[in-house]
Each structure stands twice: as structure tokens, then as C-alpha cells.
Amino acid sequence: MNRLNGNEQTVSRIHNRQFAAKVTTAADAAAAINPGDTVAISGFASAGTPKSVIPALADRIRGARAAGGNFTINLLTGASVSAETERVLAEVDGIALRMPYQSEPTARRRINEGRMDYVDIHLSHVAQQVWEGYYGKVDVAIVEVSGITDTGELIPSASIGNNKTWLDVADRIVLEVNSWVPEAMTGMHDVYYGTALPPHRRPLEITRVADRIGQPTFRVDPSKVVAVVETNAADSASELTEPDEVSLAIAGHVLDFFAHEVTAGRLPAGSLLPLQAGIGNVANAVLGGLDRGGYKDLTCYSEVIQDSMLRLIKDGAVAHASATSLALSAKGLAELTENIDFYRKHITLRPQEISNHPEVVRRLGIIAMNGMLEADVYGNVNSTHVMGTKIMNGIGGSGDFARNGYLSMFLSPSTAKGGAISSIVPMVPHVDHTEHDVQVLVTEQGLADLRGLSPRKRARVVVDRCAHPEFRPLLHDYLSRAEAEPGAGHTPHLLGEAFSFHERFNTTGSMLP
């Protein structure tokens, strides 16, 4: 079928007549969404986010507000979505509730001002909680796909996220068919339909990163599809800067640690164990360093694939990478599309309930590497709340991997705000990962291996190896006085001073005296 797309005539990706009959405009599709609806959309780390229906919905909300009406929705996603998508709805105050992860400044400001409810949960929990009805019924799902087969199955685009769940549970479905996505990506996906709620769960038959247990397409009930919109628009690029000295120093400590673990016989030489790395320049620096470390046949079982992973695959250092989304820069997107036939053999995209599944993470023995905002001297990690109260992004999948991985590592520069904030503090005012789930802390100053250490010994190692020299005397003084207190206990603290670093920053603009 030939259709007009902008000023160009393109071959439609819709090969099923029943769905072709439902093709309409973005504005008409947005009319299927009513005030108060719970709307679930595709997208994970900006990849695969709907391109046209959400802006049309924002226009509709803006018009309703101009007429004196109140139009909000509850928004469910896979994780973060493209900044433009989140912003356009937040700017018109169109979101009443948001779940499970966000990373856009306008939405973040609304949340911290109390104008938008936000539920921050582990990404592996989303599908089950939605199936169990924690958020009520899902009224509408807006899902981007790259095509529709002649039998009516949906070809996923550059992310899977929670799309399978959205298509299963939503009352009404709007499909965006994006012809920008390379057709050769077909077959990269592994959509598993064997999940069930307790007590009917079965083991997931994944024993190697490259194992496939599902099918390459989504199933959908055609009667629930109320609109199909054709688009041709690129995903928003996840731009990254070149790693700075701090990121490279952190990466160096991690790579030295891997070498040490190989020598100790705790990691396999050459291939290590499957890697998971969060998003950002530090993660890219660590992965980039692996390319220079002589490793071969590495594997990755993670949430996202970044530019550095493509380089590792191309260079032969990584044999296979499994994720739920492609979080690539413009350069990375170009590399993927130009060599899609090659990368399809080495990449598998899965639903996030599988990419983040605790059972699989534990079985494969994942090396989990995630960022943090701060850690306290005993190893408790805050990865979400600035000064304990203001949400930054969310916990995402870090807890899925840290709690269940073979190794759990948290990485961060030792200071922020030009040295005014220490990432090592006496006590974190918000805990996302307890000391029981944190094995290794890394800053540019060094690496603290906390395995097998009691709290008092952990504290000295954390301060000596991870804290910035400007803050070490303060932290040692705090620990010494806490330990000297009568009845100091197993984990000594000065409760009257435990948050003194944060209080000082809020008062003076610096954690330093």
C-alpha cells in the first residue's frame, strides 16, 4: 500500500487491511482519550516514544483549559520517555499521576512542587502491579510499532519496555506505525508471553544472555485498536559528552577491580560475567574501557544499550547484548541503522519484566553497575532524592540488579556542585539501596570493596577510599566521636549530627564548614 507521508509517497508498513482501515490523524486519535483516563504509552529511555499523538493530546488539553475545563490524565510508561513528550504534557499541567520513572526537568519540578503525584517503583514490578490493578484500569495505550504484519501482529520499534503489558490490559489502543525504524530491525525482539501471576508462575528458561524464549512480534486484539497513525520520525538522541577525567578515573578503578577479581578466581578470565550498566557518561566510560582491556566474548544483560556497547560489539569484545531499549546518540543511531543486519545478530530486545527479572539476574550472575547521588559511611545508597526530599529521576531498574546481581557496584564522582556537595556523607537522608545490597562503592578517588566487612570497618574503608580529601577529616571526626559515645552500638551514629552535612548545605550552600 502506498500512502502520502508529508511531501513524500512512502510504502505503508501496515499490511493488514483491518488495521489499514483504522488509519487516521493524530488529532482524531487523541480524541479517544478522555479527562481522567489512565494512559499507558510506549517508550524507554526516549526510544520508541509516540511521536504525534501525545503533542496532539497536549493541544487538546490546552484547548480544554483555555475554555475553563480541567483535563488531566494518569501517565504510565516503561521508564523515562523522550524529553519532548514528557515536557509537552507537563507544561499544560496535563499529568495528574506519573509512574514509574521520569527524567524531564519540567515534570520533575511539578512533582517536587506537589502539583503532580509520582509513584517511583522498581521497573521489574510495573507489569505485575498494573495487572493486579494497583493503578485502576488502563483506559488507553499509545504504542509505537515499526509495522503491522498481514496476520495483524505488531513489529516492535526501538524499545519494548512495558508495551506487551499495555497492549494486553488497555481498553482502547492507539498505534503509531513509524516507518523511520529500519525494517531490518525485525527479528531483534524477543517478546515472551509465558508470564503469569502467582501462584501460576513458571521458571524463565534463560540460562545464557542470547537465549530466546518468545516471539519477534506483539499480539493485539484488533477490536481494541481504535486508531492507527502513520509517522516517520526519528527517536530523540541520547546525547553524551566525551568522558571527562573523573569518569575515566572511576572507570579505571572498576577495570582494576575486575582484573583483581579475575586473579582471585571470582570472575572468569576474558569474558567476566554478564554486565549491566546504567545510563550516562560514567557507564559509557566503564564500557569503553573494557574495549582496551583485552576482553573477548563479553555479554551484557541490561535495560539499555548505549553507544559504547555498539563499539564493543563491532570490535568483537561483546558477543551478545540483551536489553529492553536502545539509548543511542545521533551518531549511535546512524551506526545502528547503517549496520542493522550485523547488529541484529548480536542484540536482543525484551520486555522490561524480563530484562529486569530478578530470577534471571540472579541466575546469570550479573555484574550490576549503577550511578548514585550519595552514599553514607556504612554503604547505604541514595540514588533518587536531592537533600533527601527532592526527587531527581527515580530508582529505575537499579534495585532489580543490585539486590539480585552477583556483584552490586555504585559509582559517582566524589563531589558535586563544584565541590560544595560530598557524595559520601555521615547518613543518607533517603535510602534506595541498603548496606545489605551494596558491595562496592567507586568514586574517582578510589574503590571501596565492602564485602565481608563489619559496619565500623566498612565506614573507614568508604571514607579513606571514596571520599574527597576535603571531606575526609570531617567524616573521620564524625566517626571517631560516634564510636566514642557510650553505648555506640553496632553501627555508631551521632543522631544530632547525622544530617549535619545536608543541613549545612541548605543553610550556607556548601557541605564544608
Side-chain angles (χ1 to χ4, degrees):
M1 303 176 191
N2 292 328
R3 298 189 186 279
L4 290 177
N5 193 340
N7 295 322
E8 300 178 0
Q9 190 178 52
T10 63
V11 177
S12 175
R13 299 276 187 92
I14 305 169
H15 300 292
N16 179 283
R17 293 189 178 279
Q18 188 174 4
F19 287 98
K22 299 183 180 184
V23 172
T24 187
T25 65
D28 286 344
I33 302 167
N34 303 312
D37 276 353
T38 294
V39 180
I41 69 172
S42 60
F44 194 109
S46 79
T49 304
K51 308 297 190 295
S52 61
V53 176
I54 294 300
L57 173 61
D59 287 342
R60 189 163 174 238
I61 293 172
R62 188 178 295 106
R65 290 195 178 280
N70 181 32
F71 194 145
T72 61
I73 63 169
N74 300 322
L75 181 66
L76 314 181
T77 64
S80 59
V81 292
S82 69
E84 312 91 272
T85 298
E86 191 113 41
R87 184 185 309 115
V88 74
L89 288 175
E91 285 177 343
V92 296
D93 290 315
I95 306 173
L97 177 142
R98 179 77 173 86
M99 188 278 287
Y101 186 91
Q102 54 73 43
S103 60
E104 196 280 316
T106 306
R108 182 185 305 128
R109 187 162 55 251
R110 298 288 195 274
I111 292 167
N112 285 321
E113 291 171 349
R115 296 165 61 183
M116 183 192 303
D117 286 339
Y118 177 52
V119 184
D120 180 28
I121 67 173
H122 298 295
L123 296 188
S124 67
H125 291 179
V126 177
Q128 176 173 310
Q129 290 191 7
V130 170
W131 274 105
E132 293 282 18
Y134 287 19
Y135 304 91
K137 69 171 183 173
V138 177
D139 299 288
V140 182
I142 308 171
V143 176
E144 180 185 274
V145 297
S146 67
I148 303 176
T149 70
D150 56 356
T151 58
E153 297 210 330
L154 311 178
I155 303 170
S157 64
S159 71
I160 292 187
N162 279 316
N163 295 353
K164 172 196 166 290
T165 298
W166 303 156
L167 293 166
D168 285 344
V169 303
D171 287 348
R172 306 184 299 280
I173 295 169
V174 175
L175 299 176
E176 285 197 12
V177 183
N178 188 358
S179 58
W180 169 83
V181 181
E183 286 189 283
M185 192 178 287
T186 304
M188 184 180 284
H189 312 88
D190 186 53
V191 185
Y192 181 58
Y193 277 91
T195 52
L197 296 175
H200 305 294
R201 282 205 174 119
R202 297 172 59 85
L204 295 177
E205 298 295 329
I206 299 176
T207 59
R208 299 176 306 155
V209 167
D211 284 346
R212 288 176 170 266
I213 58 174
Q215 63 181 62
T217 54
F218 295 124
R219 305 169 189 166
V220 65
D221 179 354
S223 67
K224 297 201 300 182
V225 178
V226 297
V228 179
V229 178
E230 292 184 289
T231 65
N232 186 296
D235 281 328
S236 298
S238 300
E239 296 298 346
L240 295 168
T241 58
E242 285 298 313
D244 57 15
E245 290 185 9
V246 170
S247 298
L248 291 172
I250 293 172
H253 296 314
V254 172
L255 296 172
D256 288 344
F257 175 72
F258 287 164
H260 174 270
E261 292 298 285
V262 169
T263 301
R266 289 188 287 262
L267 288 177
S271 59
L272 302 178
L273 284 169
L275 303 167
Q276 177 265 332
I279 297 176
N281 291 327
V282 173
N284 258 318
V286 172
L287 293 175
L290 291 170
D291 204 12
R292 301 183 294 275
Y295 295 103
K296 293 293 181 184
D297 296 322
L298 293 167
T299 55
C300 172
Y301 195 89
S302 190
E303 298 169 314
V304 297
I305 290 174
Q306 297 190 94
D307 289 29
S308 52
M309 186 59 63
L310 293 187
R311 288 194 293 272
L312 289 169
I313 293 172
K314 194 170 187 177
D315 293 345
V318 167
H320 204 91
S322 170
T324 194
S325 179
L326 301 167
L328 302 172
S329 69
K331 185 177 179 181
L333 288 169
E335 168 66 22
L336 179 79
T337 54
E338 290 171 10
N339 300 284
I340 188 65
D341 289 329
F342 168 76
Y343 287 112
R344 190 177 62 247
K345 302 172 185 176
H346 300 276
I347 293 174
T348 301
L349 297 182
R350 311 178 189 272
Q352 73 186 61
E353 66 203 79
I354 306 299
S355 69
N356 290 51
H357 202 291
E359 175 195 354
V360 180
V361 172
R362 179 63 61 90
R363 181 184 301 119
L364 295 181
I366 303 298
I367 299 172
M369 297 177 285
N370 288 284
M372 64 179 183
L373 293 179
E374 60 185 353
D376 66 28
V377 292
Y378 295 110
N380 299 290
V381 166
N382 169 21
S383 59
T384 60
H385 282 72
V386 176
M387 296 296 126
T389 61
K390 294 182 179 179
I391 191 74
M392 177 57 73
N393 297 328
I395 194 169
S398 58
D400 299 325
F401 291 95
R403 178 68 185 90
N404 301 287
Y406 177 77
L407 275 173
S408 62
M409 309 175 70
F410 285 90
L411 291 59
S412 171
S414 64
T415 61
K417 294 288 184 181
I421 292 177
S422 173
S423 67
I424 306 299
V425 295
M427 180 185 286
V428 290
H430 178 92
V431 181
D432 293 291
H433 312 281
T434 74
E435 61 185 284
H436 309 290
D437 299 334
V438 179
Q439 296 175 328
V440 178
L441 294 175
V442 193
T443 72
E444 81 282 3
Q445 301 298 323
L447 181 146
D449 183 354
L450 307 180
R451 296 172 297 176
L453 300 182
S454 65
R456 294 182 186 223
K457 289 182 178 178
R458 289 165 71 100
R460 297 297 178 180
V461 170
V462 169
V463 174
D464 287 339
R465 300 191 181 173
C466 292
H468 191 278
E470 288 283 335
F471 288 95
R472 280 182 202 155
L474 295 172
L475 292 165
H476 276 304
D477 175 68
Y478 174 86
L479 284 170
S480 296
R481 290 187 292 113
E483 291 169 354
E485 282 285 297
H490 180 57
T491 307
H493 266 303
L494 299 171
L495 295 184
E497 296 183 34
F499 300 131
S500 59
F501 279 36
H502 302 85
E503 290 178 342
R504 191 154 51 234
F505 177 83
N506 285 335
T507 302
T508 70
S510 175
M511 286 184 173
L512 289 168

